[in-house]
Every structure is written in structure tokens, then in C-alpha cells.
Amino acid sequence: MKSFDLNGKVAIVTGGNGGIGLGMARGLAAAGAKVVVAGRNAQKSAAAAKEIGGEAIEVDVKSEASLKALVSETVKRCGRLDILVNNAGINIRKQPQEYSLAEYHEVMNTNLTSAFNCSQLAYPEMKKSGAGKIINIGSMMSIFGASFTTPYATSKGGIVQMSRAMACAWAKDNIQVNCVLPGWIDTDLTRGARKDVAGLHERVLARTPAGRWGDPADFAGIAVFLASQASDFLTGTAIPVDGGYSVQG
Ligand code: NDP
């Protein structure tokens, strides 16, 4: 299975210190990549990096200066950058009329603008080495709407289109840009949602053909596939990893 081998590759996973990001980081590390775990919480990042034999670098993805420092520090410590997983994300749950503009921007900057910014910063490193893989994280809210999640759904719809546009631009540089659309996964993010949104837990179980919530470990395989040579002819896609949630009629 040489085409899945990531030995010698260097990956950044934003928000790689917990939840889905850590699930992906574990997969990439198991396939041989050196993984930079990039988050705000230094303690969480250090623990994750230690577990997977990677590096921890503090970042606030909302800040261009912080993202610049992340990419340059990665190249300084690890020598190159082959794989970027734009995973950091937040949600603020309200009805559309209740958001302040600051809250809207907080979600958009964290979930979407950061991915644009970090991909731009990673591009020269990938172009230099003649190959690159960018994995963006969408959501079921890239496909569906929900009353309590307007800025989040806006960001997650946008990231699919952003991935397609970058995929077209950078295919000639042998850089593939794809999007993963998680279903309902048991993480800190959704623990909050389950508390706030009455009946959500049961509705997810009833609608998911697999009959369970997803686990961060469900993202190791897709991360390795999209980061490896095995997916070299795959770009601009948006792949649901959702236990069938999005195909249930
Ligand atoms: P978690 O809350 O467990 O993880 C979110 C991660 O994002 C944390 O590691 C956090 O790091 C990081 N993060 C948030 N804001 C920033 C910031 N400003 N700068 C740097 N890092 C930041 O949630 P999930 O694992 O569930 O979410 C991961 C991604 O998956 C998100 O994009 C989310 O939208 C998406 N997703 C999740 C679904 C689910 O059901 N769980 C479904 C669909 C999509 P730190 O703690 O250090 O701040």
C-alpha cells in the first residue's frame, strides 16, 4: 500500500488538538507523516503532539500574523509542508435575527477566512516541492440548512465552493484541494449543541442509517486517503463522512 504511505511528509492540522482534528492527526501520523498540531490551547496541543510524536505550535487562525508564523515555524522545524488540514472551527447557535455582526464575523473568520488565508500561505511551500494536499472541513451544513446556525452554515457552504475554486487553480501545480463533510460526530462542539438543542441527540440517531453518532476515529482513514498519492486524481470534491445521514430520504 505504498500509495498511502506518508513517510517524509509534513502536515499541519489546525484544531488538531482535539475532536475531529485529532482523529485526522492520529491517522496521518500512523501513516508516517510528521504532524504539526496547531491550536490555541497550548496544553491540549502539547498533549496531542506528544501522543502522536508530532510538533505543537500555538495559533489563532483568525489572525493572519499568527497563521504566517505557523507556516514559517513549521517549515523551520520540519523542513517542508506537504499537507494542510483546515479543521479549526466554532459555532454560535442562535436564530438569525439574534446575531451581532461581531458574532457573525467571529464564525466566518474562524471557519472560512482562516482556511483561505492558511491555504494561500501554504501554497508557495507546496508549489516549491511540486505537490500538495489541502483538506478542508465542511459539514452537513454545507448541504442542509438549520434555523440555529446561519453564520456556521454560510461558512460551511462557502468552504465547499472555495475548495472547488482552489482545486481548479492549483491542479496544474499538482496540489489537490478537497473537502470532508462530517455528519454528527461526538466532540466538544456537538456536546454543546446537544445541551442547547432539545431532541437533537435522538433526531441524529433516528436519521443516521449507521445508527450511531460518529467518532473522531472515523476520520483517520479519509485523512490518510486525501493526504496521500492514492488520491492524486481527486480534487474539488466534497465527501460526506456521515454514516449515511445525507442520503437518508
Ligand atoms: P472541537 O470543538 O472538538 O474542535 C475544534 C478545534 O478548533 C479545537 O481543536 C480548537 O482548538 C480549534 N479552534 C477553534 N477556534 C480556533 C482558533 N481561533 N484558532 C485555532 N484553533 C481554533 O470540534 P470538532 O472536532 O467537532 O470540530 C472540528 C471541525 O469539524 C470544525 O470545523 C467543525 O465545524 C467541523 N464539524 C464538526 C462536526 C461535528 O459533528 N462535531 C460536524 C461537521 C463539521 P483550541 O481548543 O486549542 O481552541
Side-chain angles (χ1 to χ4, degrees):
M1 299 307 278
K2 214 169 159 283
S3 61
F4 291 94
D5 184 7
L6 298 180
N7 275 293
K9 303 288 186 190
V10 173
I12 291 176
V13 183
T14 68
N17 60 15
I20 291 172
L22 182 53
M24 289 188 142
R26 284 181 177 133
L28 297 174
K34 174 64 91 181
V35 180
V36 172
V37 171
R40 291 173 300 190
N41 182 322
Q43 231 177 340
K44 253 169 75 184
S45 297
K50 186 166 174 218
E51 181 206 313
I52 62 173
E55 297 279 333
I57 299 179
E58 223 175 303
V59 73
D60 179 352
V61 297
K62 298 193 300 295
S63 152
E64 182 176 15
S66 184
L67 286 174
K68 267 189 184 154
L70 168 65
V71 171
S72 63
E73 184 64 19
T74 297
V75 175
K76 194 167 132 201
R77 286 197 210 175
C78 309
R80 53 192 295 129
L81 174 58
D82 307 283
I83 300 154
L84 170 64
V85 184
N86 287 310
N87 163 79
I90 57 163
N91 195 3
I92 300 174
R93 284 172 285 276
K94 290 184 174 181
Q95 293 299 301
Q97 67 277 15
E98 290 166 353
Y99 289 97
S100 68
L101 204 50
E103 288 170 329
Y104 171 84
H105 285 308
E106 171 90 7
V107 175
M108 291 296 282
N109 288 340
T110 306
N111 296 4
L112 181 59
T113 311
S114 68
F116 175 76
N117 200 347
C118 202
S119 301
Q120 263 194 335
L121 292 164
Y123 173 74
E125 295 304 324
M126 294 177 174
K127 188 170 161 63
K128 202 161 58 189
S129 60
K133 301 282 186 180
I134 298 178
I135 304 170
N136 292 319
I137 309 302
S139 162
M140 289 298 100
M141 295 303 137
S142 302
I143 309 172
F144 304 116
S147 67
F148 52 85
T149 190
T150 299
Y152 185 84
T154 308
S155 71
K156 294 300 186 180
I159 207 162
V160 171
Q161 285 303 98
M162 191 189 82
S163 305
R164 289 175 179 151
M166 285 182 176
C168 292
W170 293 345
K172 64 175 180 346
D173 300 310
N174 192 26
I175 298 169
Q176 289 79 45
V177 187
N178 290 290
C179 217
V180 173
L181 313 183
W184 288 91
I185 317 304
D186 184 19
T187 67
D188 287 351
L189 189 80
T190 47
R191 263 164 236 141
R194 273 189 269 188
K195 220 160 39 119
D196 295 350
V197 184
L200 177 66
H201 178 70
E202 293 72 23
R203 281 205 305 279
V204 167
L205 278 185
R207 178 169 171 153
T208 305
R212 65 172 175 90
W213 281 63
D215 185 90
D218 292 315
F219 291 82
I222 190 81
V224 172
F225 174 55
L226 291 179
S228 69
Q229 238 179 36
S231 62
D232 275 358
F233 200 53
L234 199 90
T235 199
T237 63
I239 304 176
V241 178
D242 65 349
Y245 184 94
S246 60
V247 296
Q248 175 80 282

